[in-house]
Amino acid sequence: MESQDEKENSPQKAERRFALCYIGWSSLDRRTTLPMLPWLVAEIRRKSEKGDCCPGVQPREVQLVLNPPFIRCVPSSSNNSSVFIFEHKAQLISRFIHNSNDLTYFAYLLRGQPDNPESEMSCHVFRACDPNQVPEVISSIRQLSKSALKEDAKPKQEADEAFYNSQKFEVLYCGKVTVGHKKAPSTLIDDCIDKFRQHETERKHLRLLSGQRGSTESAPDCGFEEPQEFRTRCSSLAGSLQRKPGEGLVMGPTRRRHASAPNHVQPSDADKNRTMLFQVGRFEVNLISPDSKTVVLEKNFKDISSCCQGIKQTDHFGFICRDQSEPGPAQYVCYVFQCASESLVDEVMLTLKQAFTTAAALQSNKTQVQLCEACPMHDLHKLCERIEGELLKLMNLLMQGLSVKLKQDEEGFSFPLYVSRSPGSDQEENELVILHLRQLCETKQKSHLHIGEAPLVNTQKHNSDARELLPLSPHALEASLDPLGLLLPSANDSLSVERPKKTGADYRALWKTAIHQQILLLRMEKENQRLEASRDELHIRKIKLNYQEMGPCSKDAPAMWERKLTAPGRTTLPQDKEEIYRALCQGVPKSRRGEIWLLLSHQHRLHHRLPQRQHAPDTPYHDLLKQLTAQQHSILVDLGRTFPSHQYFSAQLGAGQLSLYNLLKAYSLLDTEVGYCQGISFVAGVLLLHMSEDQAFDMLKFLMYDLGIRRQYRPDMISLQIQMYQLSRLLHDYHRELYNHFEEHEICPSLYAAPWFLTLFASQFPLGFVSRIFDFIFVQGTEVIFKVALCLLSNHEKEIVECDSFESIVDYLKTTLPTLTQAQMEQTIAKVMDMDISKQLHAYEVEYHVLQDEMLDTGPLSDDSDRLDKLEKTNAQLKKQNMDLLEKLQAARQKIQTLETSVENFLSRESKMKHMIRSLEQERAAYQKTIERMRSCLPSDALTDVEMTQIKTGPNGKAKTTAKKP
């Protein structure tokens, strides 16, 4: 049985037909909003009933044919679908209207053609014989539209992901300053840094004088505005980035040093985490805080007027944009950031320039719908919104008062239908009024000048309160800016009853009641916020643990773990290791897994005291988050590759990915020897699914330092080579046939087992199975990885041996083997519980080191037996060859990775050079046009003198001009 979502998302395989009556259609302005649509549908119905429709679209019986991806309207008398009244793509349908008193009627709104920005929207109205048929028709059309949109969006999503994955940078927010000009002088960034330092010095001095550490009076805020103030629409970019070369977006320094000197300085708080992710989108830049998991700054390209880099402080950059938070004359603010290196700043600046150029090119091909509060269509929307749901008689009164007012204000406006046709009802009269109002507003809209395009009365008020609107999503507005709203009588005006005068005691009682209600409201808001936070926390926890558990725990396991988790001294007193292991074998509740891992780590540290030199550095987690990491690119690229199908990590730069970034960044700064290595992200991701960031970081340090897993991530990767040798020896001793099969086809463990060890099986296997492996790793360490690998190979030995080629074996190990069934996972874990290979692993590790020493030893052999000497030499040579091959393979893999990285860098540089060449060509073309215009402006005699002048180069390389002799 398919679910509803699966039905909606499943592609339509066969056409569907519905017998309907096509009433008619009407074109409409692209600024038409939801409250206007019922009146438009009523207008089309009335024309149909009166016979006012066009001859070509009279009401007729039709069949609506849904043939993916098209919707086709054919005559009911025709069986040939190729003969149709009209046809359009299903993905162009934007909205359905089914709110009429007569439920047999419905309509849908059709967007304009995407390849024709000038095309109008249209509304098509139908009538069904049975009102119960309408929901089925609408549902079928909606499913077809969703399927078509999904198919259209696939390549676009891939392009978007490729764009966004390479346009994120970690920066340190330094602060903002108010400047007097939109252009950036060459010394602006350096001046801002000096101002920030002076401000910080004064701040510390004031703290010392006042004796108050962390005083908020001398520490201004970070300077971030509320995110809502930056939620501007991308549709208003048209024209704002279409500037001539050298104008508008200044990527380099200018000579206006006096115009943009820093004025009002607001540095960021050095005591807080100021590291941010600077994301360059298609039409905006976002500043995302990994600490608060929110977008703290969002600026459209049209608001950014200048970008520049520091001269002395070359690892700093900033941009100037309009400050819309203050009313009055335009003010400009410069936001300043610091990067980990100067090269990273160069990359940011180049990315911004490319993004501006791309956005300008994209917007130049689009005609955006503009809408402001003074638009006539917006006034009509507010009128329709206000009278929606009113009684017919009251609405009629409102309309009559409106018509009288309009007759006085509009010279050319009248209601001729009142004379030629007497309306049969109040509803019809209202429909006629709305019809003429719509015609009037559409006519006036064509000649309307939007706010900012021409001087208006009370311009300052309009600019300070203007907001951009999108079709079908208008904003509310003050009554003073609502021309049509002023014509509507208020409810107070309709009542002629005089209110009794209130005494002082009455006002005091009202004030007292208002104060009590306000206090109660504040308490309720706080309680609602607490409940909402608790609900969000439970929701996130539910999303994190959204994976299939490997198997149910025993009946006694939850109670047993509850006793251990609540026992006094559980973090200071060691418990019996055998008892803990027996409890672990009985199962672990998924909801308590994070707490149990914390308990197991505490117990391990109580039983095993590490030498002081092996301890992890004690730098606090939140102090690490305040620093910049040089490995940000590798971490950011791997965020989308870590558990991409899990809901918690799937959202790009969502809470999951930002928490994972924090964890990986902090560890790369803590462990400078390892830094960041591919594979750590999966380990950190599993920890984050079961506990908070702070706890996950502590557990990551436990796995890396206390259990020694960090050795396999070292740059030399010697520990990983030892592990591969140990696994090969285990196969040789316990599964000789499988070992020989691998040797026959030259398959070494590093080809298939390296990801198992580097990610602790998390990159390929089900999460429930991986979490169960982690349970035992916290008790037994890396030995569990060998046991699981050996059990997996032994369980699939028969299938692996049947593979008769190198490619088929590798494919089976990488794709088929990880897809375990529930029974196979339980069988593997059961074998792991009963297996003990600690002695063998220790012996194989000693053997590996002995072999390494023998290969390095070049001294003569002390044995006098020739036979034994030959055998030992042969054995040593074979072992040396084996180890050489392993090392060559590892070196080759590293070289391949290096070459792949180099190829990616070359491709990136090639793309950047292409963008630069394109920009230079555009600039050259602009200069040529300028020269041609200058030539056309010169008189003919002067042009002749210019053409007779030649530019020659002297011996010193300088140009000199000579004139031709006539």
Side-chain angles (χ1 to χ4, degrees), residues 738-761:
L738 184 60
Y739 174 83
N740 293 334
H741 188 67
F742 283 153
E743 288 293 313
E744 179 183 354
H745 292 87
E746 299 181 349
I747 296 177
C748 58
S750 59
L751 286 177
Y752 58 88
W756 298 356
F757 284 80
L758 291 175
T759 66
L760 306 186
F761 297 95

Side-chain angles (χ1 to χ4, degrees), residues 221-240:
D221 58 5
C222 291
F224 286 131
E225 302 174 58
E226 293 295 327
Q228 296 92 316
E229 300 178 9
F230 300 97
R231 307 295 186 190
T232 53
R233 302 293 198 287
C234 294
S235 60
S236 60
L237 273 172
S240 64

Side-chain angles (χ1 to χ4, degrees), residues 164 234 279-286 298-301:
Y164 286 116
C234 294
Q279 183 184 31
V280 183
R282 286 188 180 273
F283 303 108
E284 75 286 328
V285 293
N286 300 318
E298 180 179 352
K299 286 293 183 183
N300 270 0
F301 289 165

Side-chain angles (χ1 to χ4, degrees), residues 702-818:
F702 170 78
L703 291 174
M704 293 295 189
Y705 284 91
D706 294 77
L707 298 184
I709 295 180
R710 67 180 294 272
R711 291 193 295 267
Q712 69 184 19
Y713 297 111
R714 287 176 176 173
D716 54 15
M717 304 190 80
I718 293 178
S719 179
L720 184 63
Q721 296 178 15
I722 297 174
Q723 291 170 338
M724 297 298 101
Y725 177 81
Q726 290 171 311
L727 181 60
S728 178
R729 292 287 284 112
L730 286 170
L731 289 174
H732 177 272
D733 291 350
Y734 291 95
H735 302 281
R736 183 64 62 87
E737 183 180 359
L738 184 60
Y739 174 83
N740 293 334
H741 188 67
F742 283 153
E743 288 293 313
E744 179 183 354
H745 292 87
E746 299 181 349
I747 296 177
C748 58
S750 59
L751 286 177
Y752 58 88
W756 298 356
F757 284 80
L758 291 175
T759 66
L760 306 186
F761 297 95
S763 62
Q764 296 173 303
F765 291 84
L767 265 175
F769 180 66
V770 173
S771 301
R772 195 73 177 112
I773 295 174
F774 270 64
D775 294 341
F776 291 95
I777 288 177
F778 275 95
V779 175
Q780 296 182 337
T782 56
E783 177 187 347
V784 178
I785 308 177
F786 291 97
K787 294 196 291 186
V788 174
L790 202 61
C791 292
L792 288 172
L793 294 172
S794 64
N795 292 340
H796 297 79
E797 181 176 358
K798 180 180 178 182
E799 292 81 1
I800 296 173
V801 172
E802 290 177 355
C803 298
D804 56 356
S805 66
F806 176 89
E807 293 78 9
S808 60
I809 296 174
V810 173
D811 181 69
Y812 183 89
L813 293 172
K814 290 188 176 182
T815 59
T816 307
L817 188 144

Side-chain angles (χ1 to χ4, degrees), residues 342-380:
E342 179 183 356
S343 61
L344 193 61
V345 175
D346 295 336
E347 189 175 349
V348 172
M349 299 297 288
L350 182 59
T351 301
L352 284 172
K353 186 173 183 179
Q354 292 175 355
F356 291 152
T357 305
T358 304
L362 290 174
Q363 289 303 317
S364 63
N365 298 326
K366 296 182 179 180
T367 304
Q368 299 292 338
V369 177
Q370 297 184 359
L371 195 65
C372 69
E373 287 79 1
C375 284
M377 290 299 293
H378 184 53
D379 296 334
L380 178 63

Side-chain angles (χ1 to χ4, degrees), residues 445-494:
Q445 184 68 46
K446 295 179 180 179
S447 59
H448 170 69
L449 293 177
H450 296 285
I451 293 177
E453 295 180 352
L456 297 176
V457 179
N458 199 5
T459 307
Q460 179 175 342
K461 182 174 181 180
H462 279 287
N463 286 334
S464 64
D465 196 48
R467 293 181 297 272
E468 297 179 15
L469 303 177
L470 283 179
L472 303 178
S473 178
H475 287 194
L477 193 63
E478 297 179 3
S480 60
L481 300 179
D482 187 356
L484 296 181
L486 297 175
L487 305 177
L488 298 176
S490 63
N492 295 333
D493 296 337
S494 62

